[in-house]
Amino acid sequence: IETRRFPRLTMGRRPIVGGNWKCNPAEISKLDGLVANINACDTSGCDVYVCPSPLHVGLVYNKFTNGACVAPQNCNFKGCGAYTGEMAVDQMVDMGMKWCLIGHSERRGEFGLPTPAESSKLIADTKMGYLLKAGMKVILAIGEPLPIREKGIDAVMEVCKENLAPGIPHMKEYGAEKIVIAYEPVWSIGTGVTASPEQAQETHKAIRAYLAEAVSEEFAAAVRIQYGGSANAKNAAALGACPDVDGFLVGGASLKPEIKDIVDLLAAAKA
């Protein structure tokens, strides 16, 4: 069982790359190749985690040999019991998992889920609090849709603050070592349209400034903020050069061998 913990943050923020496989692949015969892509990543200068689909988590969670961590794509907040269709944090802990992804825009209703979207309170307060209390670490995804981006950075930050605010008490209690924030501009997820390095830096800097006020300057300086939204090997170096971009949450490119290149490029940019 994979039990490695990411190193304690000391001098600076350690780069971090996540691979979100979403609801892929369609065939289990392709899992070995995807696992091999992750195992090819050099984790000496960059932390790596991977988010397999719920059906595949149990097939691959102990297959990673380079210290890459498995992070399920969602969780419940009640534990084990009569909760049909849910993924229990308690089971994740028992399987040796250390991280969980919550709040992805596709869980917030982005793909047209015909039920009420998960609220920021449910995600950042209830779910994050349950995970942290159970001893797990959290990747909290936040971000804005295109109509908000078109209004400018102030409007973008209103959405980001709304996403983050319910989790502020947990951030104060558990600290930056337990939490990673993944900023994902919804308009760039899976579209091939990437935020420019200038847009990414401006937004990450603004998020960090908000956290300095809402949590503490120490937390803001230490917390890792990933960029997600069509990140790939072509833009990893430029985005990685931004001082407030600490890594990537990678979608489509995490299903390809280029995930290794993304990790290498980020580690080089932050060396």
Side-chain angles (χ1 to χ4, degrees):
I1 294 175
E2 198 285 302
T3 58
R4 175 183 180 271
R5 292 179 182 273
F6 290 155
R8 182 176 180 82
L9 297 178
T10 51
M11 300 298 289
R13 298 185 298 270
R14 182 171 165 86
I16 182 168
V17 170
N20 183 11
W21 293 353
K22 304 191 179 185
C23 200
N24 294 297
E27 304 89 7
I28 60 172
S29 59
K30 295 182 179 179
L31 286 174
D32 285 348
L34 296 184
V35 169
N37 290 342
I38 300 297
N39 281 335
C41 295
D42 180 358
T43 59
S44 63
C46 181
D47 289 330
V48 175
Y49 66 87
V50 61
C51 307
S53 73
L55 280 174
H56 292 157
V57 166
L59 296 176
V60 303
Y61 76 100
N62 58 356
K63 303 295 186 184
F64 300 99
T65 58
N66 60 347
C69 292
V70 169
Q73 299 173 6
N74 194 15
C75 69
N76 78 351
F77 51 92
K78 293 286 189 179
C80 297
Y83 308 112
T84 302
E86 294 292 332
M87 292 194 291
V89 173
D90 309 60
Q91 293 170 328
M92 298 174 194
V93 171
D94 182 68
M95 295 169 76
M97 298 177 193
K98 301 298 178 186
W99 290 81
C100 185
L101 171 67
I102 55 173
H104 192 280
S105 64
E106 289 157 13
R107 298 308 314 158
R108 296 179 189 264
E110 177 61 23
F111 65 86
L113 198 67
T115 55
E118 293 188 2
S119 69
S120 292
K121 180 171 177 56
L122 172 63
I123 294 164
D125 181 8
T126 307
K127 287 190 176 184
M128 184 159 75
Y130 193 93
L131 283 160
L132 292 167
K133 187 176 181 180
M136 291 192 68
K137 301 181 183 182
V138 176
I139 304 111
L140 174 63
I142 65 172
E144 84 286 351
L146 183 59
I148 299 298
R149 166 55 66 176
E150 291 174 338
K151 294 180 181 180
I153 187 63
D154 290 341
V156 169
M157 281 307 301
E158 286 305 307
V159 172
C160 291
K161 289 177 183 178
E162 190 276 333
N163 291 169
L164 291 165
I168 296 301
H170 300 313
M171 297 177 196
K172 290 180 177 179
E173 179 176 358
Y174 290 95
E177 188 181 355
K178 295 283 189 178
I179 299 166
V180 165
I181 294 166
Y183 166 67
E184 297 193 298
V186 177
W187 46 273
S188 69
I189 297 174
T191 63
V193 178
T194 308
S196 68
E198 292 76 18
Q199 287 175 317
Q201 170 58 22
E202 178 186 42
T203 309
H204 282 229
K205 182 179 180 180
I207 292 169
R208 211 175 292 282
Y210 166 69
L211 293 172
E213 295 179 0
V215 185
S216 70
E217 291 186 4
E218 180 183 28
F219 179 90
V223 71
R224 294 179 289 181
I225 305 176
Q226 295 179 290
Y227 169 80
S230 298
N232 55 52
K234 293 182 179 178
N235 55 38
L239 288 166
C242 299
D244 286 297
V245 175
D246 301 310
F248 309 114
L249 178 53
V250 184
S254 71
L255 298 167
K256 304 172 183 177
E258 74 176 276
I259 187 66
K260 177 185 184 301
D261 300 326
I262 295 171
V263 170
D264 288 344
L265 289 163
L266 177 63
K270 298 301 185 183

